[in-house]
mmCIF file of all heavy atoms in Angstrom:
data_model
loop_
_atom_site.group_PDB
_atom_site.id
_atom_site.type_symbol
_atom_site.label_atom_id
_atom_site.label_comp_id
_atom_site.label_asym_id
_atom_site.label_seq_id
_atom_site.Cartn_x
_atom_site.Cartn_y
_atom_site.Cartn_z
ATOM 1 N N LYS A 99 -28.927 -0.475 -13.582
ATOM 2 C CA LYS A 99 -29.658 -1.724 -13.729
ATOM 3 C C LYS A 99 -31.138 -1.591 -13.383
ATOM 4 O O LYS A 99 -31.946 -2.406 -13.797
ATOM 5 C CB LYS A 99 -29.014 -2.825 -12.886
ATOM 6 C CG LYS A 99 -29.137 -2.620 -11.396
ATOM 7 C CD LYS A 99 -28.274 -3.628 -10.660
ATOM 8 C CE LYS A 99 -28.403 -3.488 -9.162
ATOM 9 N NZ LYS A 99 -29.636 -4.028 -8.607
ATOM 10 N N PHE A 107 -23.358 0.454 -27.491
ATOM 11 C CA PHE A 107 -22.204 1.325 -27.305
ATOM 12 C C PHE A 107 -21.455 1.548 -28.607
ATOM 13 O O PHE A 107 -21.509 0.737 -29.525
ATOM 14 C CB PHE A 107 -21.239 0.698 -26.285
ATOM 15 C CG PHE A 107 -21.797 0.684 -24.902
ATOM 16 C CD1 PHE A 107 -22.667 -0.324 -24.505
ATOM 17 C CD2 PHE A 107 -21.464 1.661 -24.000
ATOM 18 C CE1 PHE A 107 -23.186 -0.343 -23.228
ATOM 19 C CE2 PHE A 107 -21.986 1.650 -22.723
ATOM 20 C CZ PHE A 107 -22.837 0.649 -22.338
ATOM 21 N N ASN A 109 -18.270 1.379 -29.064
ATOM 22 C CA ASN A 109 -17.265 0.341 -29.305
ATOM 23 C C ASN A 109 -17.880 -1.054 -29.210
ATOM 24 O O ASN A 109 -17.186 -2.036 -29.045
ATOM 25 C CB ASN A 109 -16.096 0.483 -28.341
ATOM 26 C CG ASN A 109 -16.564 0.582 -26.919
ATOM 27 O OD1 ASN A 109 -17.711 0.226 -26.610
ATOM 28 N ND2 ASN A 109 -15.717 1.042 -26.037
ATOM 29 N N LEU A 112 -19.190 -5.994 -26.698
ATOM 30 C CA LEU A 112 -19.645 -7.367 -26.426
ATOM 31 C C LEU A 112 -18.674 -7.977 -25.436
ATOM 32 O O LEU A 112 -17.493 -7.662 -25.449
ATOM 33 C CB LEU A 112 -19.642 -8.192 -27.709
ATOM 34 C CG LEU A 112 -20.657 -7.781 -28.758
ATOM 35 C CD1 LEU A 112 -20.608 -8.760 -29.925
ATOM 36 C CD2 LEU A 112 -22.051 -7.749 -28.174
ATOM 37 N N HIS A 115 -15.596 -12.926 -23.595
ATOM 38 C CA HIS A 115 -15.444 -14.278 -23.070
ATOM 39 C C HIS A 115 -16.755 -15.050 -23.128
ATOM 40 O O HIS A 115 -16.847 -16.139 -22.590
ATOM 41 C CB HIS A 115 -14.911 -14.235 -21.641
ATOM 42 C CG HIS A 115 -15.783 -13.439 -20.702
ATOM 43 N ND1 HIS A 115 -16.130 -12.132 -20.946
ATOM 44 C CD2 HIS A 115 -16.371 -13.758 -19.535
ATOM 45 C CE1 HIS A 115 -16.887 -11.688 -19.967
ATOM 46 N NE2 HIS A 115 -17.059 -12.654 -19.085
ATOM 47 N N GLY A 125 -28.350 -10.077 -19.667
ATOM 48 C CA GLY A 125 -29.253 -9.311 -18.803
ATOM 49 C C GLY A 125 -30.395 -10.154 -18.267
ATOM 50 O O GLY A 125 -30.817 -10.004 -17.120
ATOM 51 N N LEU A 128 -29.191 -12.469 -15.507
ATOM 52 C CA LEU A 128 -28.995 -11.733 -14.260
ATOM 53 C C LEU A 128 -30.314 -11.544 -13.529
ATOM 54 O O LEU A 128 -30.355 -11.456 -12.311
ATOM 55 C CB LEU A 128 -28.411 -10.352 -14.559
ATOM 56 C CG LEU A 128 -26.931 -10.317 -14.840
ATOM 57 C CD1 LEU A 128 -26.531 -8.936 -15.299
ATOM 58 C CD2 LEU A 128 -26.146 -10.687 -13.591
ATOM 59 N N ARG A 129 -31.402 -11.457 -14.296
ATOM 60 C CA ARG A 129 -32.699 -11.216 -13.675
ATOM 61 C C ARG A 129 -33.450 -12.511 -13.410
ATOM 62 O O ARG A 129 -34.645 -12.493 -13.141
ATOM 63 C CB ARG A 129 -33.522 -10.298 -14.578
ATOM 64 C CG ARG A 129 -33.031 -8.872 -14.524
ATOM 65 C CD ARG A 129 -33.739 -7.999 -15.528
ATOM 66 N NE ARG A 129 -33.275 -6.610 -15.424
ATOM 67 C CZ ARG A 129 -32.101 -6.174 -15.848
ATOM 68 N NH1 ARG A 129 -31.278 -7.020 -16.441
ATOM 69 N NH2 ARG A 129 -31.741 -4.923 -15.694
ATOM 70 N N ARG A 176 -34.152 -7.459 -23.779
ATOM 71 C CA ARG A 176 -34.674 -7.145 -22.447
ATOM 72 C C ARG A 176 -35.959 -6.335 -22.505
ATOM 73 O O ARG A 176 -36.522 -5.993 -21.483
ATOM 74 C CB ARG A 176 -33.610 -6.390 -21.651
ATOM 75 C CG ARG A 176 -32.516 -7.319 -21.153
ATOM 76 C CD ARG A 176 -31.445 -6.561 -20.430
ATOM 77 N NE ARG A 176 -32.000 -5.450 -19.694
ATOM 78 C CZ ARG A 176 -31.429 -4.261 -19.627
ATOM 79 N NH1 ARG A 176 -30.320 -4.040 -20.247
ATOM 80 N NH2 ARG A 176 -31.993 -3.300 -18.926
ATOM 81 N N LEU B 232 -17.018 -2.152 -21.571
ATOM 82 C CA LEU B 232 -17.501 -3.473 -21.154
ATOM 83 C C LEU B 232 -18.149 -3.396 -19.785
ATOM 84 O O LEU B 232 -19.193 -4.001 -19.545
ATOM 85 C CB LEU B 232 -16.345 -4.474 -21.129
ATOM 86 C CG LEU B 232 -15.835 -4.899 -22.497
ATOM 87 C CD1 LEU B 232 -14.715 -5.909 -22.351
ATOM 88 C CD2 LEU B 232 -16.958 -5.476 -23.324
ATOM 89 N N ALA B 235 -21.409 -1.615 -20.148
ATOM 90 C CA ALA B 235 -22.399 -2.505 -20.761
ATOM 91 C C ALA B 235 -22.967 -3.457 -19.714
ATOM 92 O O ALA B 235 -24.179 -3.658 -19.629
ATOM 93 C CB ALA B 235 -21.754 -3.285 -21.901
ATOM 94 N N VAL B 238 -25.337 -1.537 -17.411
ATOM 95 C CA VAL B 238 -26.625 -1.231 -18.030
ATOM 96 C C VAL B 238 -27.450 -2.510 -18.168
ATOM 97 O O VAL B 238 -28.667 -2.506 -18.006
ATOM 98 C CB VAL B 238 -26.418 -0.557 -19.402
ATOM 99 C CG1 VAL B 238 -27.734 -0.434 -20.142
ATOM 100 C CG2 VAL B 238 -25.794 0.809 -19.227
ATOM 101 N N GLU B 239 -26.750 -3.621 -18.428
ATOM 102 C CA GLU B 239 -27.462 -4.891 -18.578
ATOM 103 C C GLU B 239 -28.032 -5.390 -17.255
ATOM 104 O O GLU B 239 -28.872 -6.278 -17.245
ATOM 105 C CB GLU B 239 -26.519 -5.950 -19.142
ATOM 106 C CG GLU B 239 -26.268 -5.821 -20.627
ATOM 107 C CD GLU B 239 -27.529 -6.056 -21.431
ATOM 108 O OE1 GLU B 239 -28.069 -7.164 -21.350
ATOM 109 O OE2 GLU B 239 -27.977 -5.126 -22.118
ATOM 110 N N GLY B 240 -27.547 -4.876 -16.150
ATOM 111 C CA GLY B 240 -28.192 -5.258 -14.906
ATOM 112 C C GLY B 240 -27.288 -5.710 -13.777
ATOM 113 O O GLY B 240 -27.757 -6.321 -12.825
ATOM 114 N N THR B 241 -25.980 -5.430 -13.842
ATOM 115 C CA THR B 241 -25.149 -5.790 -12.698
ATOM 116 C C THR B 241 -24.836 -4.528 -11.912
ATOM 117 O O THR B 241 -24.981 -3.417 -12.412
ATOM 118 C CB THR B 241 -23.805 -6.400 -13.139
ATOM 119 O OG1 THR B 241 -23.051 -5.384 -13.796
ATOM 120 C CG2 THR B 241 -24.005 -7.567 -14.063
ATOM 121 N N THR B 242 -24.403 -4.738 -10.683
ATOM 122 C CA THR B 242 -23.850 -3.625 -9.928
ATOM 123 C C THR B 242 -22.394 -3.510 -10.334
ATOM 124 O O THR B 242 -21.897 -4.299 -11.134
ATOM 125 C CB THR B 242 -23.925 -3.919 -8.425
ATOM 126 O OG1 THR B 242 -23.279 -5.175 -8.208
ATOM 127 C CG2 THR B 242 -25.356 -4.016 -7.958
ATOM 128 N N ARG B 249 -18.347 -10.666 -12.951
ATOM 129 C CA ARG B 249 -18.860 -11.349 -14.132
ATOM 130 C C ARG B 249 -18.101 -11.014 -15.403
ATOM 131 O O ARG B 249 -18.086 -11.776 -16.357
ATOM 132 C CB ARG B 249 -20.326 -10.987 -14.356
ATOM 133 C CG ARG B 249 -21.237 -11.695 -13.406
ATOM 134 C CD ARG B 249 -22.630 -11.129 -13.514
ATOM 135 N NE ARG B 249 -23.462 -11.595 -12.443
ATOM 136 C CZ ARG B 249 -24.097 -12.762 -12.475
ATOM 137 N NH1 ARG B 249 -23.991 -13.521 -13.538
ATOM 138 N NH2 ARG B 249 -24.838 -13.137 -11.452
ATOM 139 N N GLU B 343 -11.828 -5.435 -29.667
ATOM 140 C CA GLU B 343 -13.147 -4.787 -29.697
ATOM 141 C C GLU B 343 -13.536 -4.461 -31.101
ATOM 142 O O GLU B 343 -12.725 -4.053 -31.885
ATOM 143 C CB GLU B 343 -13.114 -3.518 -28.865
ATOM 144 C CG GLU B 343 -13.471 -3.808 -27.436
ATOM 145 C CD GLU B 343 -13.902 -2.535 -26.753
ATOM 146 O OE1 GLU B 343 -14.916 -1.954 -27.113
ATOM 147 O OE2 GLU B 343 -13.187 -2.134 -25.839
#
Side-chain angles (χ1 to χ4, degrees):
Chain A
K99 68 190 182 76
F107 291 83
N109 51 18
L112 293 184
H115 58 305
L128 281 172
R129 286 174 178 74
R176 284 177 35 221
Chain B
L232 288 181
V238 171
E239 283 295 298
T241 66
T242 54
R249 284 170 191 276
E343 271 200 65

